[in-house]
Amino acid sequence: MYKLLCACLWLTCAQYGAKGQDFEVPDATVEAFFPSGLKVSIPDQKGITLFAFHGKINEEMIGREAGMFSRDITKPKDGRWTFYDSMAKLAVGDILYYWTYADYFDGERKLGYPKDDQVFEVKELLPKPGRKPTTTSTTPPSIPVVVTTPPSAECKPSVTTVRGKNSCKGKLIFHSHFENFLENRDKLWTVQTRFASEPDFEFVIYEDNPQTLSIHNGRLIIKPILTDSIYGEGFVARPGTLDLGERCTGIKSIECCQNLVGRQIIPPVMSSQLTTKGKFSFKYGRIDIRAKLPKGDWLYPELFLNSENEEYGSGYESGQIRVAFLGGNEDTNKKLQGGLILGNSLAARKYAMKSIDQYQSWTNEYHNFSVLWKPDSISLKVDNVVFGSIFPPNRGFWSLASNLNLKNSERWKQGSKMAPFDKEMNIVVGVGAGGHNFEDRSDNTKPWINSQVLSQKNFYKARNSWEATWGKEAQMEVEYVKVWALDE
């Protein structure tokens, strides 16, 4: 599968010319804090309209990849453009590999400028911003003492954490129903506006569009449609560029702008996806989702838990928990799946997935999908029936590296046996289409091959066959999403 860099924003673009070419992204100041925290900033200069930071700890970046840390900063504060991650943990001697990027307006045009191949070695840890260091006779003055307030008698602390803090046993820590979603959605959710990219390379543009995202009878409706139905017949294969602009919620370098290169095309499907990233994340607990899954060729539900801070690496290097998953095709929608994704390889995608079959499609009616996530296991339920339990190997999931062709799983040794499933995760709700979530088939009934550059175009060429299966049932309907703290 290909990756596109934006011809309209990046250094490779034709617009990079004489005007503004003297601009250079300022050198970044990097600060690492104890017990956790990473800050990377550049000084504000007239003309800068956006700053982006991408980095990895103790692992070199491969070109302009997203990295373990990946964020766009849209406003300066106190004279600087600042990336800050309060949960990032670094130690003296760690190496931060990173690249930065800035949008710069020269008075006529806004151009994009990257600054590649930067390296920072942590030589000291600074007191965390906003925390007054407390010292004792046995604690060096430069190291702050963390004081925690004991829980009240009414709250018995759970192993469940919410944004870094322990919750109370059995507490309802997240509840999203959708009666007032349009008025209150920004408190809990971000509606994605971006092009799909790795690790699944689905053939989708995620949009905040009333044709793909709506509320009906208090339920969230996500309906995939053809991109051509919005922009005009044949648009996706027509020479040109589609720039999501300032609305984009994705990574500037990958997910905000695409143009036709050679025989490639714009993603032919438009859908919607919501995430709680940056607003709600938790570690260990029970998530319940009541939903009616989408039916239609090459569609699938996105009811996932994704790593909040990607401490173990980007994408599946930090794991994914699937609450419910199935292909919407007639030959796959009777097999409901759930479980863990450990990596990009086919073996890593299948190893920890469990399934339950029935005679009729799981898409025909509403079901209750649940995951019980504990410090030593993960169990899956549908309508209160357990259909799978997953336990880590004795040495942890990292020990499966050679069997599953895992990359960078060595860093899982730094965590528990459950690593990478021992860090906080956020919730994803959406509908995808095509891409690497469907295995290649030897009988040629799948109109694309995952490894081919033209896979998206071949999928589009076969649209007369799969679009015909996208009726009203192609939409996913969600009644609620709830998360409970463990009561053990």
Side-chain angles (χ1 to χ4, degrees):
M1 173 59 65
Y2 60 90
K3 297 181 184 178
L4 290 178
L5 293 181
C6 279
C8 55
L9 290 176
W10 292 89
L11 192 61
T12 56
C13 70
Q15 289 181 347
Y16 183 68
K19 281 257 183 197
Q21 73 181 54
D22 291 335
F23 175 77
E24 183 177 348
V25 180
D27 290 334
T29 298
V30 181
E31 300 167 279
F33 302 100
F34 179 91
S36 65
L38 173 66
K39 181 187 288 186
V40 181
S41 65
I42 63 171
D44 189 20
Q45 293 184 9
K46 183 179 180 181
I48 297 178
T49 60
L50 178 141
F51 169 65
F53 168 73
H54 303 265
K56 284 185 173 181
I57 300 173
N58 297 328
E59 181 185 352
E60 294 188 29
M61 303 286 281
I62 303 174
R64 293 182 194 150
E65 65 171 304
M68 179 186 302
F69 306 104
S70 176
R71 194 173 304 166
D72 296 336
I73 311 303
T74 58
K75 292 182 181 179
K77 184 177 180 181
D78 299 327
R80 299 190 71 83
W81 295 83
T82 304
F83 161 89
Y84 180 60
D85 188 327
S86 63
M87 302 299 292
K89 291 187 178 181
L90 291 91
V92 173
D94 281 346
I95 305 295
L96 176 69
Y97 296 91
Y98 68 101
W99 61 279
T100 57
Y101 166 89
D103 277 346
Y104 178 77
F105 182 65
D106 65 3
E108 295 182 4
R109 295 167 297 179
K110 182 172 71 174
L111 306 177
Y113 295 83
K115 193 164 191 174
D116 298 319
D117 303 325
Q118 300 183 72
V119 179
F120 174 82
E121 180 179 357
V122 179
K123 298 186 180 296
E124 64 173 337
L125 295 177
L126 305 173
K128 196 165 185 176
R131 172 173 292 167
K132 184 177 180 180
T134 303
T135 61
T136 68
S137 59
T138 59
T139 304
S142 60
I143 303 298
V145 175
V146 180
V147 180
T148 58
T149 303
S152 66
E154 293 78 18
C155 174
K156 295 181 179 180
S158 171
V159 295
T160 299
T161 64
V162 178
R163 299 191 66 78
K165 297 182 179 180
N166 286 90
S167 181
C168 302
K169 286 187 175 181
K171 181 180 179 180
L172 180 64
I173 55 178
F174 182 91
H175 183 195
S176 181
H177 54 82
F178 298 97
E179 288 87 350
N180 301 315
F181 173 75
L182 297 179
E183 294 80 10
N184 302 315
R185 68 180 190 176
D186 292 340
K187 294 179 181 179
L188 298 178
W189 300 96
T190 296
V191 180
Q192 299 276 48
T193 300
R194 63 179 181 87
F195 293 95
S197 61
E198 60 182 345
D200 291 330
F201 297 106
E202 56 268 42
F203 306 143
V204 175
I205 307 171
Y206 293 111
E207 272 280 13
D208 186 358
N209 187 301
Q211 293 193 48
T212 59
L213 180 68
S214 61
I215 303 296
H216 181 68
N217 292 334
R219 295 171 178 179
L220 178 74
I221 309 296
I222 298 179
K223 179 182 179 181
I225 60 176
L226 294 184
T227 304
D228 282 351
S229 69
I230 298 295
Y231 292 103
E233 182 63 31
F235 171 83
V236 300
R238 195 177 303 148
T241 297
L242 181 56
D243 184 0
L244 302 179
E246 298 301 322
R247 299 181 301 111
C248 184
T249 60
I251 301 167
K252 274 285 183 179
S253 55
I254 302 171
E255 299 174 341
C256 293
C257 175
Q258 287 190 6
N259 68 308
L260 265 67
V261 178
R263 294 176 293 168
Q264 297 167 356
I265 67 170
I266 298 295
V269 178
M270 184 178 291
S271 186
S272 288
Q273 185 187 80
L274 287 69
T275 175
T276 65
K277 183 176 177 62
K279 298 178 179 179
F280 172 79
S281 60
F282 73 105
K283 180 177 71 174
Y284 308 134
R286 188 185 88 233
I287 180 169
D288 298 331
I289 301 176
R290 180 167 173 78
K292 184 174 183 294
L293 304 183
K295 182 179 183 179
D297 286 1
W298 316 120
L299 297 176
Y300 59 88
E302 297 167 324
L303 301 176
F304 304 152
L305 298 180
N306 283 342
S307 174
E308 176 72 3
N309 295 307
E310 296 190 322
E311 288 96 333
Y312 293 116
S314 61
Y316 293 152
E317 292 175 15
S318 289
Q320 182 184 81
I321 299 176
R322 297 198 167 181
V323 181
F325 180 86
L326 55 73
N329 303 48
E330 286 289 349
D331 61 346
T332 57
N333 62 29
K334 299 177 182 65
K335 181 178 182 178
L336 178 70
Q337 300 180 71
L340 311 181
I341 304 295
L342 294 165
N344 286 320
S345 71
L346 181 59
R349 286 173 177 265
K350 297 176 67 174
Y351 170 83
M353 289 294 289
K354 304 298 181 179
S355 64
I356 180 171
D357 297 334
Q358 67 174 15
Y359 290 109
Q360 62 180 0
S361 172
W362 287 101
T363 66
N364 288 348
E365 56 189 22
Y366 274 83
H367 296 281
N368 297 321
F369 306 102
S370 301
V371 167
L372 182 61
W373 177 20
K374 296 181 178 181
D376 60 357
S377 65
I378 290 176
S379 297
L380 302 124
K381 287 184 179 182
V382 57
D383 299 331
N384 291 318
V385 175
V386 176
F387 68 92
S389 295
I390 303 161
F391 299 89
N394 288 335
R395 292 190 297 157
F397 286 115
W398 70 265
S399 63
L400 302 169
S402 59
N403 292 336
L404 303 184
N405 191 24
L406 301 177
K407 295 182 178 179
N408 300 319
S409 60
E410 280 290 312
R411 67 183 70 175
W412 296 355
K413 293 181 182 180
Q414 303 169 14
S416 69
K417 288 173 60 175
M418 285 292 288
F421 305 101
D422 59 354
K423 302 293 183 181
E424 290 198 0
M425 307 189 92
N426 57 61
I427 306 168
V428 175
V429 173
V431 175
H436 289 193
N437 271 313
F438 293 93
E439 297 179 32
D440 291 333
R441 301 182 177 186
S442 58
D443 59 4
N444 296 321
T445 56
K446 176 167 162 268
W448 76 95
I449 297 174
N450 290 338
S451 61
Q452 291 185 346
V453 172
L454 295 181
S455 59
Q456 190 164 249
K457 187 172 185 177
N458 290 334
F459 173 75
Y460 177 65
K461 288 168 64 176
R463 64 191 180 278
N464 288 340
S465 63
W466 50 258
E467 187 191 6
T469 69
W470 291 17
K472 183 178 180 181
E473 291 184 325
Q475 65 189 29
M476 182 170 73
E477 304 176 15
V478 184
E479 186 173 320
Y480 61 73
V481 180
K482 299 179 182 180
V483 181
W484 304 82
L486 294 179
D487 56 6
E488 301 176 1

